[in-house]
Amino acid sequence: MKEEPLVPLGVGLTVCALLYAAWGLHYKNIQQAQRGMRGRVIMQGLTVCALVGYGVFKTKDTSQAGQTNMRPINWDKLEREAQEAEALDLAKGNVSPAMEKLIAQAKREREEKAKSVIAKSIFVQEVPEPKK
């Protein structure tokens, strides 16, 4: 709210215009309802313009350009910790049958992948070109 004060103000004014139009419809005052609906459209448009404007100005801010708040993920460490947790759960017997099935499937997939990598490295050999 502190960074984008016009957005909540626009939302509030849009709601007020909508209530004004609803009040006019309730009491069958067509002119009031029409003014309220037109006001709602205008307020809604100004609110969207404020949102877009804040977005444009935030991306143009050079002090924060190129900086991210994300930290790098160590995927090897994450997978190792997951495997250790799986092994610990299996040792304690805290695994449901469905989870055991998923673990077995993951192990099979890892073994198949390892076999295919080994097979490719064994069977792929450079063939010398024939001499002319």
Side-chain angles (χ1 to χ4, degrees):
M1 291 209 26
K2 290 181 181 180
E3 294 178 6
E4 302 169 350
L6 293 178
V7 174
L9 178 68
V11 169
L13 290 174
T14 302
V15 169
C16 288
L18 182 62
L19 291 175
Y20 182 75
W23 191 267
L25 284 172
H26 179 70
Y27 288 105
K28 296 187 178 25
N29 185 347
I30 302 301
Q31 288 181 339
Q32 180 181 350
Q34 199 58 242
R35 282 192 305 266
M37 288 309 239
R38 288 178 182 159
R40 179 196 59 84
V41 169
I42 291 169
M43 292 300 136
Q44 209 169 0
L46 291 174
T47 304
V48 170
C49 288
L51 279 168
V52 170
Y54 283 125
V56 168
F57 288 122
K58 262 193 167 180
T59 56
K60 286 187 178 181
D61 186 13
T62 57
S63 65
Q64 294 180 357
Q67 296 178 358
T68 60
N69 293 333
M70 297 187 318
R71 59 184 171 88
I73 297 174
N74 186 348
W75 291 105
D76 294 330
K77 179 182 175 189
L78 192 63
E79 186 169 349
R80 191 174 345 103
E81 289 174 354
Q83 289 174 351
E84 289 172 2
E86 287 175 4
L88 185 63
D89 280 345
L90 281 173
K92 288 183 179 180
N94 294 338
V95 181
S96 68
M99 191 63 175
E100 285 179 0
K101 187 177 177 181
L102 286 173
I103 292 171
Q105 180 182 357
K107 283 181 182 179
R108 280 193 307 271
E109 288 175 0
R110 280 189 220 127
E111 290 171 0
E112 289 173 7
K113 187 176 180 182
K115 286 178 185 177
S116 68
V117 168
I118 292 171
K120 285 180 183 177
S121 64
I122 291 174
F123 292 114
V124 175
Q125 298 176 358
E126 290 187 24
V127 178
E129 292 183 22
K131 294 181 181 180
K132 291 184 181 180

